[in-house]
Amino acid sequence: MAAPNATDVLLDYDEALAKYEPVLGFEVHVELSTATKMFSAAPNPAAGDDPAAPNTAVAPVDMGLPGSLPVVNAEAVRYSISLGLALGCSIAESCRFARKNYFYPDLGKNYQISQYDEPIAFEGSVEVELEDGTLFQVPIERAHMEEDAGKLTHMGGATGRIHGADAALVDYNRAGVPLVEIVTKPIFGAEHLAPQLAKAYVATIRDIVRSLGISRARMERGNLRCDANVSLRPRGETRLGTRTETKNVNSLRSVERAVRYEIQRQAAILEAGGSIVQETRHWHEDTGTTSAGRPKSDADDYRYFPEPDLLPIRPSAELVQQLRAALPESPTQFRRRLQADYGFTDSEFRDILNANVLVELEETVGAGAAPAQARKWWLGEILRIANARGVEPGSLVSPLHVSELIALVETGELTDRLARQVLEGVVAGEGSPEHVVKARGLAVVSDDSALLAAIDQALGEQPDVLQKIRDGKVQAAGAVIGAVMKAMRGQADAARVRELVLERANA
Amino acid sequence: MSDATPPAVITAAEVTHLAGLARIALRPDEIEHLAGELTQIVDAVARVRRVATPDVPATSHPLPLVNVLRDDVVGAVLTPEQVLAGAPAAQDGRFRVPAILGEEQ
């Protein structure tokens, strides 16, 4: 078993592209944000804000306890149909569930309820916009309903990961969470933009499910997970090359990097006359590499058969029509509309897209903030913290809290400097901006008597300042303002302090 | 049956493969025995297939029911103690299982 290290030989990216055509494929799993699980009435942790304590959101069905029977969540079916429609898919007149049999402790019953030969949605297409504005159609094979599995934490071993682990701990909270798996057809023609297309595709799926309101879509929490299939074929070859499937790719940036890495790794093997092993590969965020997982084998013989405990689903034409009529605009339309509404330039708008904060920005404006202010915060302090931590800006703070923060600055309760401290508290999980202001005692001192006391104190220490101001050297006030701001620990409005100093001088 | 199609034969190798997938330990004599029985079952299914014409839809569920659904309303859950009541080993509120090398979900 290969250890996760950088022993892979990589071919130069441009050289790889000159000799080989990359073909992509994606399997994206979306955890739906229904109140309950797919087949039980246990609360759905994927809908919540905070992770639940282990094994506290588990019903007998989720563990496959004898005598328990699954019942399909009607809302999950509606969400799945909406998603299928947003992906341009046909909705099955009738579909059924199937058992996918495998032995692994992430599911207690030794099978996962999924859909096999009759997915709820099939044959669609998604429009993806690349950074330069190019539109790319990604063909969709199918979108099917299934249940998520429990979470294993591997114990022991040198790395804490599975290689060398001697035991694993299992939490079944996630078992039974409603999932939709979206499978693309092979994607041709992305060429040197393949890594960028991969990122843009996953971002588009994220934007779609968020605009539908059917998933929290937090990649860092696993609400949205991407397996990226990459294969290469020599220029002019019509048959597909052997593909690898890279798992554990849980940020947009990683999707892009992982695809690029696989192209370079596979190209080097092919150039050396070797052949690609069809296998699962694991992405390692820290090293930016992939390593071999298990090869495809007997274990992939899942012995699918129709789930006898569940009856077929036949969505009525009325329901499908109703959900179709309620679809929001597409991500491309959404972007065009926002850019026009907010009056951002192309370059301003591209920065927003590159930082993946458009939806956050829209929600912040929706909560009452001015577009320019919302842009300033999301692309400024929030993005700075996100970059420093290597996470998505949207995972740090909610749009509602950002809009509250902006409102506090607008009303003069906070200066920009204080607001940044408040943001720090919100990001640290100390509560809403209002709450952090109170808890940390950060509000601007707007009580003039407190300011005047500090001003008089500073003037007493610098007695010549008043005369200088009276002589017309207004800039001399700066020294006093600085002393007052320091005395107030920054919690004063410098403009107001300046006004008061000048009033004192001219009194 | 006077049908020209010979019955499919389930081999001992296929039974061994299936037993491996299903994690069932079988002795050689059991494998031979099951190969014979499974051959008969497959043959019985094949007879049904010969009778069924293309206008007969496939049946995976015998009941004429569809859309048996539940509203998305939170109900009862087990306590962590109940969840772990049948666990051979537990740690930190979770099941403790032997590591399975070479596999990862």
Side-chain angles (χ1 to χ4, degrees):
Chain A
M1 202 63 55
N5 58 30
T7 55
D8 289 324
V9 178
L10 303 183
L11 191 66
D12 174 74
Y13 184 71
D14 291 331
E15 199 182 336
L17 263 293
K19 290 180 172 156
Y20 299 96
E21 177 195 355
V23 180
L24 304 177
F26 301 101
E27 286 154 33
V28 172
H29 287 86
V30 178
E31 284 186 336
L32 302 179
S33 57
T34 48
T36 66
K37 291 189 178 179
M38 189 74 216
F39 303 115
S40 84
N44 174 9
D49 283 323
D50 300 313
N55 292 313
T56 56
V58 181
V61 166
D62 308 324
M63 296 180 66
L65 291 183
S68 64
L69 284 171
V71 187
V72 178
N73 181 341
E75 186 79 339
V77 173
R78 286 191 286 268
Y79 281 12
S80 303
I81 294 172
S82 291
L83 178 51
L85 291 170
L87 299 170
C89 288
S90 303
I91 301 303
E93 281 181 28
S94 178
C95 66
R96 61 185 175 186
F97 289 95
R99 287 190 185 179
K100 178 182 180 180
N101 298 279
Y102 67 88
F103 288 84
Y104 199 70
D106 62 358
L107 277 173
K109 53 193 191 294
N110 290 338
Y111 58 85
Q112 177 190 33
I113 304 178
S114 182
Q115 294 193 296
Y116 182 54
D117 54 348
E118 297 185 1
I120 190 158
F122 52 92
E123 295 285 330
S125 177
V126 176
E127 186 178 72
V128 173
E129 187 170 3
L130 302 179
E131 278 168 28
D132 65 358
T134 311
L135 295 176
F136 199 100
Q137 293 293 331
V138 173
I140 302 296
E141 168 99 25
R142 57 188 279 157
H144 66 255
M145 300 183 281
E146 59 184 27
E147 60 180 334
D148 209 343
K151 192 171 177 55
L152 265 65
T153 307
H154 300 282
M155 307 293 289
T159 62
R161 290 191 63 79
I162 189 154
H163 301 293
D166 55 23
L169 302 183
V170 193
D171 170 12
Y172 285 114
N173 282 347
R174 199 177 64 182
V177 166
L179 280 184
V180 175
E181 179 177 340
I182 304 165
V183 183
T184 68
K185 296 180 180 182
I187 302 165
F188 303 97
E191 298 296 346
H192 67 287
L193 294 174
Q196 198 192 107
L197 174 67
K199 177 184 171 185
Y201 169 70
V202 179
T204 301
I205 297 295
R206 187 195 65 162
D207 291 348
I208 288 173
V209 299
R210 284 176 66 163
S211 70
L212 289 169
I214 62 170
S215 173
R216 301 290 296 271
R218 298 165 295 200
M219 288 192 81
E220 69 286 354
R221 292 263 195 108
N223 298 149
L224 188 74
R225 309 195 290 266
C226 174
D227 300 340
N229 292 293
V230 176
S231 70
L232 298 183
R233 58 182 178 185
R235 295 278 161 199
E237 173 63 63
T238 52
R239 285 170 307 171
L240 288 172
T242 304
R243 67 185 161 83
T244 60
E245 178 180 1
T246 304
K247 290 180 176 285
N248 194 31
V249 196
N250 52 14
S251 75
L252 293 174
R253 187 166 154 268
S254 297
V255 174
E256 185 172 17
R257 292 170 73 204
V259 167
R260 190 184 173 94
Y261 184 88
E262 271 303 287
I263 289 173
Q264 292 184 264
R265 187 188 68 85
Q266 292 186 16
I269 293 171
L270 295 171
E271 274 301 280
S275 53
I276 306 302
V277 179
Q278 184 173 346
E279 64 188 356
T280 298
R281 296 188 67 85
H282 299 297
W283 170 250
H284 305 283
E285 180 67 46
D286 47 352
T287 54
T289 61
T290 65
S291 68
R294 62 178 171 77
K296 296 280 171 186
S297 68
D298 276 0
D300 290 328
D301 188 344
Y302 291 119
R303 296 172 293 137
Y304 280 99
F305 61 83
E307 166 58 88
D309 288 344
L310 292 170
L311 291 157
I313 304 288
R314 290 186 71 93
S316 71
E318 293 73 33
L319 174 66
V320 174
Q321 190 44 47
Q322 180 198 329
L323 293 172
R324 191 190 297 278
L327 286 182
E329 63 204 330
S330 75
T332 311
Q333 292 167 331
F334 175 69
R335 284 195 292 270
R336 303 255 151 91
R337 178 174 63 78
L338 283 199
Q339 185 176 0
D341 285 359
Y342 296 170
F344 291 143
T345 66
D346 282 352
S347 113
E348 285 172 336
F349 204 67
R350 202 159 38 241
D351 290 344
I352 294 165
L353 295 180
N354 289 344
N356 289 309
V357 293
L358 185 61
V359 173
E360 287 78 2
L361 198 138
E362 193 255 352
E363 288 173 7
T364 308
V365 173
Q373 284 298 314
R375 178 176 173 278
K376 180 185 119 177
W377 280 93
W378 282 106
L379 288 186
E381 193 63 10
I382 301 170
L383 183 61
R384 189 188 64 75
I385 300 172
N387 286 342
R389 298 189 186 182
V391 298
E392 293 290 328
S395 69
L396 291 173
V397 55
S398 73
L400 182 65
H401 284 167
V402 175
S403 118
E404 282 176 27
L405 192 68
I406 291 168
L408 289 171
V409 176
E410 298 268 294
T411 58
E413 275 181 72
L414 292 177
T415 60
D416 264 16
R417 203 174 81 85
L418 287 173
R420 284 196 293 275
Q421 291 181 41
V422 172
L423 176 68
E424 207 179 276
V426 175
V427 168
E430 292 170 24
S432 71
E434 298 250 15
H435 188 85
V436 174
V437 164
K438 287 200 187 86
R440 290 196 178 192
L442 287 173
V444 165
V445 176
S446 52
D447 174 4
D448 279 356
S449 62
L451 293 179
L452 284 170
I455 288 168
D456 288 340
Q457 167 85 22
L459 286 173
E461 286 158 12
Q462 305 178 65
D464 53 335
V465 168
L466 282 185
Q467 193 53 50
K468 283 184 182 167
I469 294 173
R470 288 184 192 124
D471 293 344
K473 294 179 186 162
V474 178
Q475 68 274 22
V480 173
I481 296 166
V484 172
M485 292 304 286
K486 194 175 169 195
M488 306 304 295
R489 299 202 319 274
Q491 288 173 240
D493 178 357
R496 179 67 187 147
V497 174
R498 187 170 190 280
E499 275 174 26
L500 291 173
V501 173
L502 296 185
E503 273 174 28
R504 269 280 192 271
N506 299 323
Chain B
M1 295 293 288
S2 59
D3 200 289
T5 318
V9 174
I10 301 295
T11 64
E14 284 168 323
V15 174
T16 306
H17 173 69
L18 274 175
L21 290 174
R23 305 288 204 271
I24 299 171
L26 294 177
R27 295 188 310 271
D29 60 307
E30 289 173 321
I31 290 171
E32 285 302 323
H33 178 70
L34 281 170
E37 286 203 338
L38 285 171
T39 297
Q40 284 182 29
I41 292 168
V42 170
D43 187 44
V45 173
R47 286 191 215 180
V48 174
R49 179 181 288 174
R50 284 192 288 269
V51 172
T53 52
D55 59 337
V56 178
T59 305
S60 58
H61 300 80
L63 303 175
L65 290 173
V66 295
N67 297 340
V68 176
L69 304 168
R70 130 187 99 71
D71 288 339
D72 188 25
V73 177
V74 174
V77 294
L78 300 169
T79 64
E81 293 72 29
Q82 287 172 323
V83 171
L84 295 170
Q91 183 182 333
D92 305 336
R94 289 170 287 180
F95 290 80
R96 185 185 166 95
V97 299
I100 295 159
L101 295 175
E103 290 183 36
E104 187 166 4
Q105 290 291 308

